[in-house]
Amino acid sequence: MPRLSKIDVVSIEDLATAEIERIFTLADEYAAALEAGKPPAVASGLVMATLFYEPSTRTRLSFESAMHRLGGAVISSADMNASSAAKGESLADTARIVSGYADLIVLRHPHDGAARVAAEYASCPVLNAGDGSREHPTQTLCDLFTLRRKKGRLKGLTVALCGDLKFGRTVHSLIYALARFGANIVAVPTAGMDVPDYVLERLAAERNYNFSTVTMDELKSLAGGLDALYLTPSAPHQMALFTGDAPLEKIPTAEPPPALDAFYVTRLQKERLQSKDAPTSEYVRFDAHALKGHRVQEAVVMHPLPRTTELAYELDSDPRAVYFEQAAAGVPVRMALIAWIIERSGEPRSRTNAQNAAIVFKSAAPPRCASPNCVTRFEAGYLRPRFRLAPGVDRNLLALRCDYCDREMRIEFVGHASRRRYYRYDETLHGYVRQWIEEGTLAVFDSVKQAEEEGYEPYRRGPQREVMDAPAIARALDSMAEQVIADLPDLTGVSIVGVVSRGAILASRICDLIQQKAGVRPPSAAIDVYNPAETVMRLDSAESFVAEDRTIVIVDDVINSGWTVQRAMTALWQRGRPAAVKLAVLIDRGHRAVPIRPNYVGKNIPTARAERVQVRLAPPQGVAPGRARTQDCVVIYSMVESLKEGEDAG
Ligand code: NCD
């Protein structure tokens, strides 16, 4: 049999939705074939290696059973402490060596991001069987498969996640997947064991998804019939687009869900606790009583197992307790995963997990991942920390995401490696930082002290001058709305798309003006060109955005190089073929690197290259002002001080 294609499953996000669906179809077939006693030997001639650096019963044995049932062979070092790891062999070397002996590696490891490292060094596929507290994607396949079998669907289900949501890796993978399949999540953490911020931020930025967190007491009321519980809808909600200040949880919706469909209970991950993490309240305990409320009559109880004290044995005889079925699903689901990799081998596979490019740091000391359990801290001899820009909606914040453990780090000071200047990050640097990443000149620092120790000098802004105040901006927007109405008489075919974040705020305002003047309100949407998935979200309704055959007006605040607009256009074209695309900008500076000309301009402000134009806008209605300004204005910063003759600002 030829070598398998290099299909690694490190995160549940490595599998496209259609791929998960295919795995489930195969799992149904394998479950039936196991029942009938004759599964096909599709893995005959293949060898799977199971490398477990942590204890396991279900995951390792069901993987091994799955491989045997498919006619394949298994080599195992069940206790890696009995392997060369005990002599200090690196994970990279182990992965490289074992991929010479096996066609597939299944790895469990205590460090966050370990599976990513193994996948990079092994020449065969690596399947993550749990890496630290990060993810456990194949458990999620078993969880979703069981849930779907029990409920007939995933979309629209409401799942309560209970217990240790901080270190529970099964929960993290499950959250990403439930969000993707359109289920509602209610988090019920034991106090102090909340879903980590990096998981929430990733969900908000990449899926525009968030959920409520409730206490155990609130959950009890919910089970019994409380009417005023806060829940977020699974559909994207628009506020998250505009600002980091928008409440990311506890957005009230009119109705609580009619019922809970599942409880997903987890044990306290004692082995990952440091004393400061110890839960501050009693741990959740589920018994027959928990299933008595009228809203939970149909709810199933799930658990990745092993259980400790959180699930009473009396529940086992209740038909709603499905955790043993969930564990049993391990064999057909893992057979399906292996068979799917075999099926896909040789076929081209498009990358499912689109990401920003990894950042190459020129500074002497590249940043270190802030997570104490990140694999980069333990395999430092050969592994350089690696980061990508975390896609976020707030341009005031710069966050880097560790490529191995996913942890996000806020960056306060950035520098330009060849100019040796450092800056405190703010939104005026948004575009420049991206350019510096592309050039490979970005440096980041924890503090001014670090920057200065590395020989960087401070960059000081020259004088700032206000070139437009709020009434001037209002007049410019009014004029833009008039220009659109005059140019596009059939407004029913027009959609307005703002570039996140200020372009989206302006797009909403232009829609208001068009409605006032012409009595028609074009559908409006926001596009986030810095999000790798380039999400387009409707601002005015929950319906999905349609580009096909529409005249699209793209709105942005300032046209600098034209690069952002070009990206927005490409992203729109991927969603359908618009009848026409027009461009509206509040300010045209007159410098463009690409041949794009705005159709509607609020104001022309010719500026020198070494100046920055910043549009500041009051936040949209309903959004807490926070750090955002309450008065609209446009200011120009002079950059003369830091630049030598002929140097570009960026
Ligand atoms: C889980 C794990 O290892 O993360 N077990 C499993 O694989 N079913 C859950 C746990 O250990 O609590």
Side-chain angles (χ1 to χ4, degrees):
M1 175 163 307
R3 294 268 308 175
L4 297 177
S5 294
K6 180 82 174 120
I7 299 174
D8 303 306
V9 183
V10 169
S11 163
I12 192 70
E13 300 289 52
D14 290 339
L15 293 170
T17 306
E19 294 174 336
I20 296 177
E21 298 282 4
R22 174 65 189 149
I23 292 166
F24 288 166
T25 304
L26 288 170
D28 280 327
E29 289 171 24
Y30 284 116
L34 285 170
E35 194 98 339
K38 43 175 187 296
V42 298
S44 158
L46 292 177
V47 175
M48 178 173 84
T50 49
L51 308 181
F52 278 63
Y53 291 77
E54 276 192 338
S56 170
T57 305
R58 273 151 298 275
T59 307
R60 184 168 68 86
L61 295 183
S62 66
F63 254 119
E64 295 186 354
S65 169
M67 191 62 178
H68 284 301
R69 299 240 188 244
L70 289 173
V74 178
I75 54 174
S76 184
S77 181
D79 177 6
M80 286 305 285
N81 294 324
S83 76
S84 284
K87 302 181 198 159
E89 184 161 68
S90 70
L91 180 57
D93 282 357
T94 305
R96 195 180 269 148
I97 304 287
V98 175
S99 61
Y101 305 155
D103 303 285
L104 188 64
I105 292 177
V106 178
L107 176 97
R108 171 169 288 185
H109 200 280
H111 298 147
D112 299 11
R116 178 77 60 214
V117 176
E120 284 176 5
Y121 286 87
S123 56
C124 68
V126 171
L127 306 181
N128 179 8
D131 59 337
S133 59
R134 203 186 72 95
E135 281 205 51
H136 192 345
T138 68
Q139 178 65 42
T140 293
L141 292 176
C142 301
D143 299 342
L144 294 181
F145 179 75
T146 309
L147 189 57
R148 203 179 62 157
R149 277 204 153 183
K150 293 289 152 192
K151 294 287 166 185
R153 68 194 158 101
L154 294 171
K155 193 174 168 65
L157 295 182
T158 300
V159 181
L161 307 175
C162 312
D164 180 353
L165 310 187
K166 181 174 181 181
F167 294 113
R169 56 194 173 196
T170 66
V171 171
H172 304 157
S173 295
L174 183 61
I175 287 174
Y176 298 135
L178 289 174
R180 183 134 53 110
F181 280 92
N184 297 301
I185 294 171
V186 184
V188 198
T190 293
M193 299 276 115
D194 296 63
V195 178
D197 286 347
Y198 74 90
V199 175
L200 298 177
E201 277 158 20
R202 184 167 173 187
L203 276 181
E206 290 178 8
R207 305 226 170 265
N208 198 29
Y209 183 99
N210 50 70
F211 52 80
S212 308
T213 297
V214 301
T215 62
M216 222 31 217
D217 282 340
E218 286 169 316
L219 180 75
K220 280 182 201 146
S221 311
L222 175 68
L226 179 85
D227 290 310
L229 188 98
Y230 292 109
L231 271 185
T232 45
S234 61
H237 80 87
Q238 303 140 14
M239 296 307 240
L241 264 181
F242 287 114
T243 168
D245 301 319
L248 278 184
E249 44 183 10
K250 302 213 169 187
I251 307 267
T253 54
E255 291 284 324
L260 279 180
D261 297 290
F263 291 102
Y264 190 93
V265 187
T266 58
R267 89 184 155 90
L268 179 67
Q269 304 286 302
K270 277 205 183 85
E271 66 274 38
R272 306 197 202 289
L273 290 183
Q274 290 167 349
S275 56
K276 67 175 175 43
D277 298 316
T280 49
S281 68
E282 260 179 50
Y283 203 76
V284 44
R285 185 175 157 80
F286 255 73
D287 54 21
H289 194 73
L291 291 178
K292 288 217 158 68
H294 71 261
R295 284 223 171 95
V296 294
Q297 286 303 306
E298 305 285 315
V300 293
V301 182
M302 305 179 76
H303 193 303
L305 302 179
R307 69 173 138 187
T308 49
T309 55
E310 65 284 353
L311 277 186
Y313 282 79
E314 68 185 28
L315 271 176
D316 298 359
S317 55
D318 191 306
R320 293 169 292 181
V322 301
Y323 31 85
F324 293 121
E325 286 172 70
Q326 209 181 330
V331 176
V333 168
R334 291 183 170 110
M335 286 170 84
L337 176 62
I338 297 165
W340 172 78
I341 293 173
I342 296 169
E343 179 180 286
R344 294 306 303 264
S345 288
E347 279 179 41
R349 182 169 180 250
S350 59
R351 231 187 119 52
T352 53
N353 203 356
Q355 292 206 61
N356 292 314
I359 303 171
V360 178
F361 288 99
K362 290 268 171 63
S363 54
R368 194 162 86 126
C369 179
S371 163
N373 200 44
C374 179
V375 68
T376 55
R377 295 198 167 212
F378 298 89
E379 306 280 328
Y382 60 97
L383 203 61
R384 270 175 75 84
R386 197 172 65 208
F387 299 88
R388 289 166 208 265
L389 221 45
V393 289
D394 187 344
R395 292 198 197 197
N396 270 307
L397 301 174
L398 179 68
L400 302 184
R401 180 185 293 162
C402 171
D403 223 17
Y404 294 98
C405 77
D406 292 340
R407 219 53 61 96
E408 291 189 4
M409 236 183 356
R410 290 269 147 83
I411 300 297
E412 219 184 325
F413 298 98
V414 296
H416 189 285
S418 43
R419 298 204 184 107
R420 314 302 286 177
R421 300 275 174 193
Y422 73 85
Y423 314 73
R424 183 185 289 276
Y425 183 80
D426 70 20
E427 63 168 342
T428 59
L429 288 163
H430 185 76
Y432 294 115
V433 162
R434 279 157 180 80
Q435 199 179 318
W436 300 345
I437 290 171
E438 274 177 28
E439 294 167 4
T441 51
L442 177 71
V444 303
F445 310 103
D446 293 338
S447 61
V448 166
K449 189 162 177 279
Q450 188 197 356
E452 294 189 343
E453 273 172 11
E454 287 195 31
Y456 282 69
E457 281 176 31
Y459 163 74
R460 282 184 203 85
R461 278 192 188 130
Q464 187 190 111
R465 72 199 144 93
E466 183 173 302
V467 289
M468 286 173 92
D469 59 8
I473 292 175
R475 283 195 299 277
L477 282 172
D478 202 84
S479 148
M480 287 163 75
E482 297 275 1
Q483 293 170 46
V484 172
I485 295 167
D487 189 41
L488 305 171
D490 180 16
L491 285 167
T492 55
V494 174
S495 299
I496 312 274
V497 178
V499 178
V500 169
S501 54
R502 280 162 311 226
I505 299 175
L506 296 174
S508 285
R509 294 204 202 163
I510 290 174
C511 283
D512 293 344
L513 291 165
I514 293 176
Q515 186 171 25
Q516 278 165 28
K517 290 170 190 289
V520 181
R521 188 180 180 90
S524 58
I527 184 161
D528 182 356
V529 297
Y530 293 117
N531 181 329
E534 281 154 343
T535 34
V536 183
M537 281 159 287
R538 281 287 292 269
L539 293 174
D540 49 3
S541 86
E543 283 165 38
S544 58
F545 172 77
V546 178
E548 192 72 30
D549 289 336
R550 308 279 305 169
T551 296
I552 310 269
V553 179
I554 297 178
V555 182
D556 206 356
D557 57 347
V558 185
I559 181 159
N560 289 306
S561 61
W563 178 87
T564 311
V565 173
Q566 201 181 37
R567 268 195 81 161
M569 281 178 21
T570 314
L572 283 174
W573 274 74
Q574 281 163 1
R575 273 166 188 80
R577 199 173 268 257
V581 178
K582 306 274 183 176
L583 174 62
V585 292
L586 182 66
I587 289 157
D588 185 356
R589 296 184 58 184
H591 308 281
R592 273 186 292 286
V594 290
I596 289 179
R597 231 175 105 90
N599 306 80
Y600 321 116
V601 176
K603 194 173 164 89
N604 285 293
I605 304 185
T607 45
R609 265 195 185 277
E611 286 177 322
R612 293 185 193 163
V613 176
Q614 190 190 23
V615 176
R616 297 172 181 168
L617 295 173
Q621 289 262 308
V623 175
R627 280 181 323 279
R629 333 243 154 215
T630 48
Q631 282 291 326
D632 294 349
C633 65
V634 178
V635 295
I636 293 186
Y637 291 119
S638 155
M639 296 181 64
V640 286
E641 261 186 85
S642 75
L643 297 171
K644 293 193 202 87
E645 192 58 34
E647 252 183 355
D648 191 298

